[in-house]
Amino acid sequence: MPNVYVAGVGMTKFGKWPDKLLVELMCEASRKAMDDAQRYDFDMIYVGSMSPEDFTDEGNIATVITGHLGLVPTPAIRVETASSTGATALDEAFLAIKSGYYKSILVIAGEKMTHLPTPKVSKILAEVIDHNERKYGATMVALAAMVTRLYMKKYPLLSREILSMVAVKNHHNALFNSYAQFHKEITIADVLKSKMIADPLRLYDCSPITDGAVAVILISEKKKVKITGIGQGTDYAGLENREELISFRSTRVAAENAYKMAGRTPKEIDVAEIHDAFTPFEIIGSEDVGFFPAGGGGKALAEGITALDGALPINPSGGLKAKGHPVGASGLAQVVEIVWQLRGEAGKRQVPDAKIGLTQSVGGLANNNLVTILEAE
Amino acid sequence: MPNVYVAGVGMTKFGKWPDKLLVELMCEASRKAMDDAQRYDFDMIYVGSMSPEDFTDEGNIATVITGHLGLVPTPAIRVETASSTGATALDEAFLAIKSGYYKSILVIAGEKMTHLPTPKVSKILAEVIDHNERKYGATMVALAAMVTRLYMKKYPLLSREILSMVAVKNHHNALFNSYAQFHKEITIADVLKSKMIADPLRLYDCSPITDGAVAVILISEKKKVKITGIGQGTDYAGLENREELISFRSTRVAAENAYKMAGRTPKEIDVAEIHDAFTPFEIIGSEDVGFFPAGGGGKALAEGITALDGALPINPSGGLKAKGHPVGASGLAQVVEIVWQLRGEAGKRQVPDAKIGLTQSVGGLANNNLVTILEAE
């Protein structure tokens, strides 16, 4: 079975790109990855975008981007698993190389969202919520707030201050990431005085609305960074059907599969990108992938373990919170950050001696989650 | 490398299902496939749907269907390549089994369209057309009509009567398919007097708007029907950028790859399902997959070669034209028909001694096409 290596990565700056089409952002990220890999031909293209039909009235996006890149007649497929779409695109490319049929694959992920008014964006994002819950007015942030309340009831150690520290840490990290949407140091007080969105979640607990695109090139030839484990798990879209709410089964299953494939344990991970669309999700995610015991994620954060200079830095890129969250792109952007970390190219946010990295991406309200493990050879 | 076999297939009747949700149609097809395969557990699920976001305000469809089937936490991924989406879902499942990581995969494809007014459906379908052409008012049928005019100019042998015979043949075949949307014999005169949609294409040259879902179960254990070849090719979304218009490069590349993988030639195919969203597409498709020389598809049809009792029956199911065209499902429905043919279960439309079958699916205006070859062992 062939090994799967990362030959190149690229991304646009995340933020607001009112004058660019989604395909233009995707082309820019792709060309950067091609220059990074010094490869310009592929035998397959995977494209991740969560809802270009809704956000930009654009269908058939895999074909359109392939044409714009001048890569016709290369096969091209779009994949989607809500907000973990970018991770899924990588996952599919990984399997395609493992199949032995493809040797060089371009993976692209992007979303364009900021041109729409926020209520319209919220409505589109709410399409990934279970029908029964949506009809009572559920939104993503409202459901996340319920999960947070429940978590804080079971584990009172997770104070409002510690939640805020997720945002403070990730905004700090983003200062050193030129691709990040925000370059603004914030304090716990800033978070606590920001607008209430859905109690207890405030504006600064939520990732922003973002335009951006990312690309990764996978090949079967040896390179410095190797993908050693992938895992995916689902859960019921409706929270009412879940076995539990303050730990995500979809992450746990994904992590178990990824560790098993890679032959690794949580203790061996040097750096991680964890899906922090809402601040409590970073805490829950860090527990679900096995870094900390259930209820222990907040304490680890408060002790500085997950800070850039801690024992296990989480979200050195700034995370979805401060780097930005173009929904279909975020899962792949996490991978790009880990690649830079493993190649020692992360500049002022470099985690020293990072050899094994992990990404965890959340689809919808944690119902289609992926974990990927990458290693420097 | 593991072989890939079809363990079971299932589909809903194609037609109008005003009282059923898309997920209900998908569940029905899935349960039929499970009963057919006598398998109820899977290690991966692929879901093909072209635009559930637009047609039914439904996102995250792969996760939602997995929950409805009670198959959580099985990994589930949605794929999309416009109207060839169903074929792409099969293609991805094929690669996943070839990778060695997955042994039993449920592939589901479906679309729900008939609840919307026709102009709204046309608008959604037009999202797969190139931006530059769409802004001048291009619709799928208008572009198909231009292709047809050009073909008829180069090959005057393709008369208006022969085009009509595609519809007549496929409506005839559908009489013997209880899953088909239409059970109505039509004549050449009926086609010629049907409403003009985009000259020279009339209403009876166009596939209908349809609700429906299909499911196929793939496994690595030996079964009667084996998938031996898959191929995919893209072309520019914009017709203005194509090298040629009356033969589809995307099909030719897909066919070449599929024949190569299967070690087969067009002469060895016993039965085929060819994407006949518009009557001329069956003619062009039958040439592009190598059954007939360029310009020769119409003559072969007129001579009865592609009829149910001909030497190479095309669209025994009734095709998209008469069986119906739930866009994201059609590529997988073609595969179901070939499986039934190869298992000798096609009843009154059974092609005698069918051992090797081929499907050809068209994405968008023939810019993301797939060819699949299946064989009876």
Side-chain angles (χ1 to χ4, degrees):
Chain A
M1 197 186 276
N3 286 318
V4 181
Y5 296 94
V6 177
V9 297
M11 64 184 283
T12 67
K13 185 181 182 316
F14 279 10
K16 293 186 181 185
W17 291 107
D19 300 329
K20 292 200 179 186
L21 298 171
L22 173 60
V23 289
E24 292 178 288
L25 294 172
M26 285 181 165
C27 279
E28 182 186 329
S30 300
R31 293 197 191 290
K32 285 179 177 173
M34 290 183 209
D35 286 343
D36 185 37
Q38 287 293 303
R39 280 175 177 263
Y40 300 87
D41 275 310
F42 309 95
D43 40 29
M44 174 61 96
I45 298 168
Y46 284 95
V47 178
S49 194
M50 179 174 132
S51 197
E53 294 84 355
D54 279 341
F55 287 122
T56 60
D57 292 332
E58 188 87 62
N60 205 7
I61 189 77
T63 313
V64 170
I65 183 73
T66 301
H68 278 261
L69 287 167
L71 292 174
V72 157
T74 310
I77 293 174
R78 177 227 180 166
V79 303
E80 177 264 321
T81 54
S83 44
S84 61
T85 288
T88 297
L90 187 89
D91 181 300
E92 289 299 283
F94 175 90
L95 289 178
I97 288 187
K98 286 286 183 186
S99 80
Y101 286 116
Y102 300 97
K103 297 191 186 322
S104 175
I105 300 183
L106 173 61
V107 187
I108 313 166
E111 208 83 55
K112 188 163 159 56
M113 311 168 70
T114 68
H115 59 292
L116 296 176
T118 301
K120 173 72 177 164
V121 171
S122 293
K123 185 174 176 299
I124 293 172
L125 296 177
E127 287 184 358
V128 309
I129 296 173
D130 178 76
H131 254 290
N132 287 332
E133 293 175 355
R134 208 194 310 167
K135 74 184 177 196
Y136 293 111
T139 60
M140 291 294 283
V141 63
L143 294 173
M146 286 169 57
V147 166
T148 309
R149 274 271 171 246
L150 210 60
Y151 184 108
M152 293 170 91
K153 188 175 170 194
K154 178 155 184 193
Y155 301 116
L157 269 177
L158 183 68
S159 62
R160 184 51 262 195
E161 283 64 32
I162 293 183
L163 270 190
S164 308
M165 289 170 67
V166 174
V168 171
K169 168 178 74 68
N170 293 349
H171 269 265
H172 176 77
N173 294 353
L175 289 176
F176 314 115
N177 185 352
S178 62
Y179 293 94
Q181 184 164 3
F182 298 129
H183 294 110
K184 178 187 171 190
E185 191 101 43
I186 61 169
T187 63
I188 290 180
D190 290 332
V191 181
L192 295 179
K193 74 182 181 213
S194 71
K195 186 177 164 191
M196 182 66 82
I197 306 293
D199 195 0
L201 300 178
R202 294 179 175 271
L203 183 64
Y204 281 20
D205 289 299
C206 306
S207 56
I209 294 168
T210 310
D211 307 326
V214 190
V216 172
I217 293 167
L218 299 186
I219 60 172
S220 52
E221 264 172 61
K222 192 165 160 55
K223 289 280 164 188
K224 185 172 174 62
V225 177
K226 182 177 171 179
I227 302 181
T228 57
I230 59 165
Q232 186 183 10
T234 55
D235 206 339
Y236 292 100
L239 296 192
E240 60 177 338
N241 301 314
R242 304 264 178 103
E243 284 176 4
E244 57 186 316
L245 286 173
I246 62 173
S247 161
F248 299 142
R249 183 184 180 190
S250 43
T251 299
R252 296 201 315 274
V253 168
E256 189 184 329
N257 291 337
Y259 287 127
K260 191 175 158 193
M261 192 185 290
R264 295 293 181 187
T265 65
K267 286 193 195 318
E268 295 179 277
I269 304 300
D270 299 316
V271 56
E273 290 274 311
I274 300 287
H275 189 102
D276 59 330
F278 305 106
T279 51
F281 280 24
E282 179 177 309
I283 306 284
I284 294 173
S286 70
E287 299 169 6
D288 286 337
V289 300
F291 293 160
F292 312 113
K299 181 164 168 283
L301 173 80
E303 289 170 352
I305 293 173
T306 61
L308 206 46
D309 59 355
L312 175 46
I314 290 180
N315 290 325
S317 71
L320 281 53
K321 176 69 200 80
K323 185 178 56 188
H325 184 24
V327 282
S330 286
L332 196 62
Q334 294 178 319
V335 169
V336 170
E337 174 66 13
I338 295 297
V339 170
W340 280 329
Q341 291 286 347
L342 298 182
R343 297 198 313 204
E345 297 172 0
K348 289 186 179 170
R349 66 182 192 283
Q350 179 68 46
V351 174
D353 296 322
K355 297 282 182 243
I356 309 180
L358 176 147
T359 65
Q360 178 251 13
S361 184
V362 169
L365 215 288
N367 46 48
N368 199 327
N369 298 4
L370 288 98
V371 169
T372 307
I373 297 172
L374 300 100
E375 308 192 21
E377 293 232 309
Chain B
M1 195 185 275
N3 285 317
V4 182
Y5 296 94
V6 178
V9 297
M11 63 185 284
T12 67
K13 186 183 182 311
F14 279 10
K16 294 187 181 184
W17 291 107
D19 300 329
K20 293 202 179 187
L21 297 171
L22 174 61
V23 289
E24 293 178 287
L25 295 171
M26 285 182 166
C27 279
E28 181 185 329
S30 299
R31 294 197 190 289
K32 285 180 178 174
M34 290 183 208
D35 286 343
D36 185 37
Q38 286 294 302
R39 282 175 174 264
Y40 300 87
D41 274 311
F42 309 95
D43 42 27
M44 174 60 97
I45 297 169
Y46 283 95
V47 179
S49 193
M50 179 175 132
S51 197
E53 293 86 355
D54 279 340
F55 286 123
T56 60
D57 292 332
E58 189 88 60
N60 204 8
I61 189 77
T63 313
V64 171
I65 182 74
T66 301
H68 278 262
L69 286 168
L71 292 174
V72 158
T74 309
I77 294 174
R78 178 229 181 164
V79 303
E80 179 265 320
T81 54
S83 44
S84 61
T85 289
T88 296
L90 188 89
D91 181 299
E92 289 300 281
F94 175 89
L95 289 177
I97 288 188
K98 286 286 183 185
S99 79
Y101 287 116
Y102 300 98
K103 297 191 186 320
S104 175
I105 299 183
L106 173 62
V107 188
I108 313 167
E111 208 84 52
K112 188 162 161 56
M113 312 168 69
T114 68
H115 58 292
L116 296 176
T118 300
K120 173 72 177 161
V121 171
S122 292
K123 185 173 176 300
I124 293 171
L125 295 177
E127 286 184 359
V128 309
I129 296 172
D130 179 76
H131 253 290
N132 287 330
E133 293 174 356
R134 209 194 311 167
K135 73 184 177 197
Y136 294 112
T139 59
M140 292 293 283
V141 62
L143 294 172
M146 285 169 56
V147 166
T148 309
R149 275 271 170 247
L150 210 60
Y151 185 108
M152 292 170 90
K153 188 174 170 195
K154 178 154 184 196
Y155 300 117
L157 267 178
L158 183 68
S159 60
R160 184 50 263 196
E161 282 64 33
I162 292 182
L163 270 190
S164 308
M165 288 170 69
V166 174
V168 171
K169 168 177 73 69
N170 292 350
H171 270 264
H172 177 77
N173 294 353
L175 291 175
F176 313 116
N177 184 353
S178 61
Y179 293 94
Q181 182 164 5
F182 298 130
H183 294 112
K184 178 186 170 190
E185 190 101 45
I186 61 168
T187 64
I188 291 179
D190 290 331
V191 182
L192 295 179
K193 75 184 180 211
S194 70
K195 188 177 164 190
M196 182 67 81
I197 306 292
D199 194 359
L201 300 178
R202 294 177 175 272
L203 183 64
Y204 281 20
D205 289 299
C206 306
S207 56
I209 294 168
T210 309
D211 306 326
V214 190
V216 172
I217 293 167
L218 298 187
I219 61 172
S220 51
E221 266 172 61
K222 191 165 160 58
K223 288 280 166 188
K224 187 173 173 63
V225 176
K226 182 176 172 180
I227 302 180
T228 57
I230 60 165
Q232 185 183 12
T234 55
D235 206 339
Y236 292 100
L239 295 192
E240 60 179 338
N241 300 314
R242 304 262 178 104
E243 285 176 4
E244 57 185 316
L245 286 174
I246 61 172
S247 161
F248 299 141
R249 184 184 180 192
S250 43
T251 299
R252 295 200 315 272
V253 169
E256 190 183 331
N257 291 338
Y259 286 128
K260 192 175 158 194
M261 190 186 291
R264 296 292 181 187
T265 65
K267 287 195 194 317
E268 294 180 276
I269 304 299
D270 298 317
V271 56
E273 291 274 312
I274 300 287
H275 190 101
D276 58 330
F278 305 106
T279 51
F281 279 23
E282 179 177 308
I283 307 284
I284 294 172
S286 70
E287 298 168 6
D288 287 337
V289 300
F291 293 160
F292 311 113
K299 181 164 169 283
L301 173 81
E303 289 171 352
I305 292 172
T306 61
L308 206 45
D309 58 356
L312 175 45
I314 290 181
N315 289 326
S317 71
L320 281 52
K321 177 68 198 82
K323 183 177 57 188
H325 185 24
V327 283
S330 286
L332 196 61
Q334 294 178 318
V335 169
V336 171
E337 174 66 13
I338 295 297
V339 170
W340 280 329
Q341 291 286 345
L342 297 183
R343 297 199 312 205
E345 297 173 359
K348 289 187 178 169
R349 65 183 192 283
Q350 179 66 48
V351 173
D353 295 322
K355 297 282 183 243
I356 309 180
L358 175 147
T359 65
Q360 179 253 14
S361 184
V362 169
L365 215 289
N367 47 50
N368 199 328
N369 298 3
L370 290 95
V371 169
T372 308
I373 297 172
L374 299 101
E375 308 193 20
E377 293 230 309

